[in-house]
């Protein structure tokens, strides 16, 4: 069953990265975020019958360089979302609890493939 963002208002909107955790031999550890990483955001939206995701990034000495992924078409299910990032298909698993979005995926960190959990808080305007 596929939920569209328009029907899943808890996922739609802007989310700001607040925490990154990873598993090291089944022990959950917190990865200290660089100040620029604390400015990362995800924007989920629904338009013209499609779901979209935009990832916003900041880099540079004072986080002054702003960039984004562009508007990525995504497929959303009850527990995951999938999209093409460059030429790679990515599937990330999510859950929402209160105003927090937990996104889980596998990535190389400190030379090892690890399960990463990014924690985002919903931005209220």
């Amino acid at each position: 069953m596929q939920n569209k963002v328009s029907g899943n208002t808890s996922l739609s909107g802007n989310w700001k990265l607040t925490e990154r955790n990873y598993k090291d031999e089944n022990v959950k550890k917190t990865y200290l975020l660089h100040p620029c990483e604390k400015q990362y955001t995800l924007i989920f939206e629904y338009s013209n019958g499609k779901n979209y995701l935009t990832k916003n990034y900041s880099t540079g000495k004072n986080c002054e360089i702003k960039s984004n992924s562009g508007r990525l078409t995504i497929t959303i299910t009850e527990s995951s979302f999938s999209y093409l990032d460059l030429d790679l298909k990515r599937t990330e698993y999510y859950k929402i609890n209160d105003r927090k979005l937990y996104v889980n995926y596998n990535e190389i960190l400190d030379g090892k493939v690890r399960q990463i959990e990014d924690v985002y808080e919903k931005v209220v305007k």
Side-chain angles (χ1 to χ4, degrees):
M1 181 175 152
Q2 182 175 334
N3 288 336
K4 296 202 181 308
V5 173
S6 63
N8 186 346
T9 56
S10 59
L11 186 58
S12 66
N14 298 351
W15 298 86
K16 183 176 182 178
L17 182 65
T18 59
E19 186 179 335
R20 178 168 288 147
N21 302 304
Y22 65 96
K23 287 198 176 175
D24 186 12
E25 297 183 17
N26 293 325
V27 176
K28 185 176 179 180
K29 295 185 176 181
T30 299
Y31 175 84
L32 295 177
L33 295 175
H34 181 277
C36 295
E37 291 175 311
K38 293 177 183 178
Q39 296 181 22
Y40 287 8
T41 62
L42 300 179
I43 301 171
F44 291 93
E45 55 190 334
Y46 179 78
S47 176
N48 298 322
K50 293 184 180 178
N51 296 302
Y52 296 99
L53 168 64
T54 302
K55 295 180 170 189
N56 294 302
Y57 308 99
S58 295
T59 58
K61 183 177 175 183
N62 296 310
C63 309
E64 71 279 0
I65 302 169
K66 309 291 184 195
S67 62
N68 67 57
S69 63
R71 210 169 174 206
L72 304 169
T73 303
I74 62 171
T75 301
I76 300 173
T77 68
E78 291 180 25
S79 62
S80 69
F81 53 90
S82 301
Y83 57 94
L84 284 178
D85 187 7
L86 300 172
D87 285 337
L88 298 173
K89 182 178 180 182
R90 293 192 56 114
T91 298
E92 298 179 357
Y93 297 89
Y94 75 92
K95 66 180 179 177
I96 298 173
N97 188 355
D98 295 322
R99 302 190 72 77
K100 293 189 177 186
L101 170 65
Y102 300 86
V103 178
N104 291 283
Y105 57 94
N106 290 324
E107 193 72 60
I108 296 174
L109 181 65
D110 295 332
K112 295 181 183 177
V113 175
R114 301 181 191 267
Q115 182 182 357
I116 309 291
E117 175 187 67
D118 286 347
V119 181
Y120 292 84
E121 288 188 17
K122 191 150 195 176
V123 178
V124 179
K125 293 184 177 185

